[in-house]
Amino acid sequence: MTRTLAYPMDRRLFMAGVAVGGLTASGAAQAQAQAAATTVFHGGPIRTMDDAQPSAEAVAVRGQTILAVGALDAVRAGAGRGARLVDLDGRTLLPGFFDPHGHVSMVGLQARYANLLPAPDGEGNDIAALQRITRDWMNRHEALVRDTGLIIGFGYDDSQLKERRHPTRDELDAISDVVPVLFLHQSGHLGAANGAALAAAGIGADTADPPGGVFRRKDGSREPNGVLEETALFAVMGALFTRLDAEANRQMIVEGARYYARFGYTTAQDGRSSTDTCRMIAGLAEAGALPIDILSFPDILTSTDVMATPLYRRNYEGRYRIGGVKLTLDGSPQAKTAWLSQPYFVPPEGQPASWRGYPAVTEQQALDAVDLAFANDWQIEVHANGDAAIDLMIAAVREASRKHGARDRRPVLIHGQTTRMDQLDELKALGIVPSFFPMHTFYWGDWHRDSVLGPRRAELISPCGSAWRRGMRFTSHHDAPVANPDALRVLSATVTRRTRSGDILGPDERVPVEVALKAMTLWAAWQHYEDDRKGSLTAGKLADMILLDADPMTVDPDRLAGIKVTDVYKDGRPVELG
């Protein structure tokens, strides 16, 4: 993408015209046309995320680019007399949010199928409610069920269900014992399937557990009970999702991008993309169908073929690019599949007191994957939740750096939920960027304190404050569709760390609002080498901007999650939020 630094050039032309006694007729016509194509935003708080000018009275936009930022009179003068004025009417202008980690292609699945999320995002608070919600969805989408032969529910959370357990095969059979039914856990790392879904995937009593996954069994039997962990879930998903044709997948990608935009994101990520997904997003981009930018990180174990194509680049083409690769080392702490160095506070059902979770790959696979990324100068993002998995990432990056030399590769630790203080020091020394998931403090903070990690370790989950005090740039994400891509909920969790019950989990790990906002805008853009064009309201950068109905810098921190996005601008154009 070629950027035009419009403000400095316009200023030089204007001053040259004054020096010779005025603009020529053609120059005056050109200036008038430029002014007519310029918009000046004013009349509300403007938070730029630019340390050189943290706030402003006005922002001028010409085409895709921010023309000027500063005092209203100066900005209006530079914009020209014909510029259009937009009164913010007290609303707050910010740079668009930049997604440091999520799965936009899967968000469309969340938006399209039955919403099993618990309160406050849904009504899935017990197993009977999950069944009711799914039946209601089936009644409203009979044609979709008929066409795909598939029923999907997304977002149940055993930690929030009254029963405090996963729904079983028998309970899903009560919804349908003919059509395959698949429930996806909110973490995205577990699920539940009915008998028809297991049969369609070829799963039975004789099926062995796959490496890095588990088919849970009925008591005293080898018969699967329907609950699927990690790679066992992915195997069933792979078998069932072939029923969704290419057009259905394309629609889900577009719906996911639109859903992101509703929450103020102007750049979304698709982490762990498959080759097919990368090609589908690229086709949508070529057709001009994407409302916001999408940045893919394909799976380094399965999809490196796309890294040799023109899709891997630093600039967007039609609002899409591949930025690097993704490696997954373990599972989810709330699901108790993350790989810890010390046992879980309360082990999952059927596991011993020594249960520490498990890795998703072998040590050699991890070392080889990071080595491959460094050898090719690919940026690599590594999913590691448990501190044992983080230790493996650190060892792999240290060895690859020794072998291939130090360069600005910006490897990213994704989630890093249980990062220890000694590990933070290692991350800083090795140049690893931590991208934390502080929304856990709200959604699962009480669960982590009482069941997953215990009071002491839970206090340090997603240690944003400790990273900030070490002078580290960190980012914060939502991992959608694990949670809604709700940027203001991310902000609230990073600033307050307040749990569902009202507790504050780890008060020392809170950070100021301005720091939390930078982790979602400027630092997120920097994480992906895009801070030269995104992340702040600065002259010369892209006009990716949002309007909020309140100023996050001045509201009561406990009201941050309630702030609403009212308008979104991508490349200077309004995005239809729907």
Side-chain angles (χ1 to χ4, degrees), residues 370-446:
V370 174
D371 182 79
L372 177 64
F374 273 54
N376 286 281
D377 282 330
W378 297 338
Q379 185 179 28
I380 185 167
E381 300 197 335
V382 180
H383 167 122
N385 265 311
D387 61 328
I390 299 168
D391 278 334
L392 179 54
M393 179 191 178
I394 288 170
V397 169
R398 184 188 298 115
E399 173 58 22
S401 298
R402 183 199 63 77
K403 181 177 177 181
H404 298 289
R407 294 184 187 175
D408 183 19
R409 296 185 180 91
R410 295 183 204 175
V412 180
L413 167 61
I414 296 295
H415 307 322
Q417 298 277 37
T418 59
T419 306
R420 305 186 306 263
M421 296 301 102
D422 64 297
Q423 290 176 326
L424 276 179
D425 295 331
E426 292 270 19
L427 298 180
K428 183 176 181 180
L430 290 168
I432 298 173
V433 182
S435 184
F436 293 124
F437 194 175
M439 286 174 87
H440 265 251
T441 58
F442 173 73
Y443 283 108
W444 298 286
D446 299 314

Side-chain angles (χ1 to χ4, degrees), residues 272-427:
R272 205 178 182 184
S273 308
S274 68
T275 295
D276 287 345
T277 299
C278 290
R279 296 192 187 282
M280 273 191 283
I281 302 174
L284 291 166
E286 186 176 356
L290 299 179
I292 61 176
D293 285 344
I294 295 180
L295 175 67
S296 277
F297 279 77
D299 191 323
I300 193 171
L301 300 182
T302 64
S303 303
T304 55
D305 53 333
V306 294
M307 300 302 290
T309 73
L311 298 177
Y312 171 54
R313 55 190 169 225
R314 283 292 172 89
N315 296 316
Y316 289 83
E317 192 72 37
R319 295 185 173 170
Y320 180 64
R321 75 180 182 97
I322 291 175
V325 289
K326 171 82 180 292
L327 171 66
T328 298
L329 294 184
D330 70 343
S332 159
Q334 71 269 36
K336 300 185 180 179
T337 58
W339 184 27
L340 302 178
S341 65
Q342 300 298 319
Y344 280 88
F345 193 61
V346 178
E349 183 179 354
Q351 298 297 342
S354 60
W355 179 255
R356 300 189 295 116
Y358 49 86
V361 297
T362 67
E363 179 179 351
Q364 194 59 52
Q365 282 178 308
L367 294 171
D368 289 347
V370 174
D371 182 79
L372 177 64
F374 273 54
N376 286 281
D377 282 330
W378 297 338
Q379 185 179 28
I380 185 167
E381 300 197 335
V382 180
H383 167 122
N385 265 311
D387 61 328
I390 299 168
D391 278 334
L392 179 54
M393 179 191 178
I394 288 170
V397 169
R398 184 188 298 115
E399 173 58 22
S401 298
R402 183 199 63 77
K403 181 177 177 181
H404 298 289
R407 294 184 187 175
D408 183 19
R409 296 185 180 91
R410 295 183 204 175
V412 180
L413 167 61
I414 296 295
H415 307 322
Q417 298 277 37
T418 59
T419 306
R420 305 186 306 263
M421 296 301 102
D422 64 297
Q423 290 176 326
L424 276 179
D425 295 331
E426 292 270 19
L427 298 180

Side-chain angles (χ1 to χ4, degrees), residues 138-159:
M138 290 166 57
N139 291 334
R140 295 193 308 272
H141 298 86
E142 291 180 356
L144 182 60
V145 174
R146 183 177 61 252
D147 292 345
T148 63
L150 188 60
I151 298 165
I152 301 172
F154 189 92
Y156 82 89
D157 183 358
D158 59 309
S159 76

